[in-house]
């Protein structure tokens, strides 16, 4: 199989490297170099460009005559369906979405793809090619018939990018607690990895650990006290996170229900004490509305 990857950003480079390791014949071309001069000789053309570039690029390629009718064209955007490449349909063997649900943060360090999930959906030949590429990369292809790509992408972003931002705040808290900053990623990376393993193997609510699960309202109250004093900007997120943990903890029932009632009281008190003095009211607002919705 011959693959041409147009777009040498984080995803394009990682996919090209992964496929080359599997002995696939891959050509990688930076999109900012423009379209190639010669016809693209490939079974699969992957457009690994930014989402907003996909439509204009598809139109340009369709008009260029550079893509063969035998070639299928894939894009990697989570938020967009195959239709993002619609202009290419009349001149190719079909188009599809091939979205790896993996976080690619660097152009030189590539994350492990094995056991990652790929959403593959589109025209029959193109979807089949996307599924084959996913399998070659050791990933699991999936196709959900009625997937709302906006919601799907929001979920992926909340977990991947939210976790990175949460870890960055965790780093600030570790520094406040006396850990040298350069040590923090080394501590938090393996911690996140253990969460990832728990989520994958145990699912929810079992993946939850910690004082909220144990119904330890006193521990949460002390932590809130420290945050209020030493890192008040992190307090709304801390409280929102505890609110999000509470329904999981109640379902697990590792402590009497009265402990979780006490936890709610602590969080309600802390929330109303904090909201007016911080910039992060939306997080607090969400936490409160969750509570009032129960
Ligand atoms: N990153 C992720 O975690 C992830 C995960 C799943 C899916 N995706 C999807 O994969 C596709 C590619 O995403 P990506 O993360 O690889 O994006 P990216 O690293 O930003 O690269 C995408 C394109 O942006 C261009 N680019 C890079 N830096 C630029 C700059 N400073 N100014 C202008 N253009 C610049 C690159 O050009 P050159 O080709 O010329 O280098 C490349 O073609 C998107 O559809 C995205 O939604 C991303």
């Amino acid at each position: 199989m011959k693959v041409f990857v147009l777009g040498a950003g984080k995803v394009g480079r990682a996919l090209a490297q992964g496929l080359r390791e599997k002995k696939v014949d891959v050509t990688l071309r930076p999109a900012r170099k423009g379209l190639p001069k010669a016809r693209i000789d490939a079974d699969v053309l992957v457009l690994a460009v930014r989402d907003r570039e996909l439509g204009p690029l598809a139109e340009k390629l369709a008009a260029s005559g550079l893509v063969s009718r035998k070639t299928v064209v894939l894009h990697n955007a989570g938020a967009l369906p195959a239709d993002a490449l619609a202009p290419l349909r009349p001149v190719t063997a079909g188009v599809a979405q091939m979205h790896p649900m993996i976080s690619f943060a660097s152009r030189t360090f590539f994350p492990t793809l094995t056991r990652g999930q790929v959403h593959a959906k589109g025209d029959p030949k193109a979807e089949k090619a996307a599924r084959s590429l996913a399998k070659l990369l050791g990933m699991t292809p999936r196709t959900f018939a009625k997937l709302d790509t906006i919601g799907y992408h929001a979920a992926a972003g909340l977990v991947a990018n939210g976790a990175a931002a949460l870890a960055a705040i965790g780093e600030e808290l570790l520094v406040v607690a006396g850990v040298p900053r350069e040590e923090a990623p080394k501590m938090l990376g393996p911690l996140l990895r253990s969460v990832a393993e728990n989520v994958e193997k145990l699912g929810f609510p079992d993946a939850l650990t910690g004082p909220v699960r144990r119904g330890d309202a006193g521990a949460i109250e002390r932590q809130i006290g420290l945050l209020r004093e030493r890192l008040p900007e992190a307090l709304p997120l801390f409280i929102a996170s505890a609110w999000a943990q509470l329904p999981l903890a109640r379902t697990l029932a590792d402590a009497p229900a009265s402990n979780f009632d006490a936890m709610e009281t602590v969080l309600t008190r802390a929330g109303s004490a904090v909201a007016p003095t911080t910039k992060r009211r939306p997080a607090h607002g969400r936490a409160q509305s969750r509570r009032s919705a129960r």
Side-chain angles (χ1 to χ4, degrees), residues 235-247 264 267-268 270-272 275 280-294:
L235 200 44
L237 196 56
F238 184 90
I239 293 168
S241 157
W243 277 119
Q245 294 172 55
L246 205 50
E264 267 200 47
L267 294 177
T268 305
S272 53
R280 307 189 70 160
R281 283 185 208 183
H284 167 63
R286 276 199 299 279
Q288 271 207 329
S289 62
R290 276 191 71 128
R291 187 181 159 268
S292 52
R294 273 197 301 272

Side-chain angles (χ1 to χ4, degrees), residues 7-11 30-32 49-51 76-77 99-100 102 104 107:
K10 297 182 280 296
V11 170
R32 281 173 287 179
V49 298
R50 294 180 176 180
D51 294 18
N76 304 124
H99 175 253
I102 290 284
F104 301 84
R107 289 160 69 91

Side-chain angles (χ1 to χ4, degrees), residues 5-15 28-34 47-54 57 75-80 98-107 111 152-153 156 160-161:
V5 180
L6 184 54
K10 297 182 280 296
V11 170
R13 283 168 190 254
L15 293 182
L28 176 67
R29 182 180 174 87
R32 281 173 287 179
K33 275 178 83 176
L47 304 184
V49 298
R50 294 180 176 180
D51 294 18
R52 62 179 174 273
E53 301 295 340
L54 278 173
L57 180 58
H75 74 68
N76 304 124
L80 298 172
M98 181 200 169
H99 175 253
M101 201 183 240
I102 290 284
S103 183
F104 301 84
S106 163
R107 289 160 69 91
Y152 162 79
H153 193 229
N161 315 323

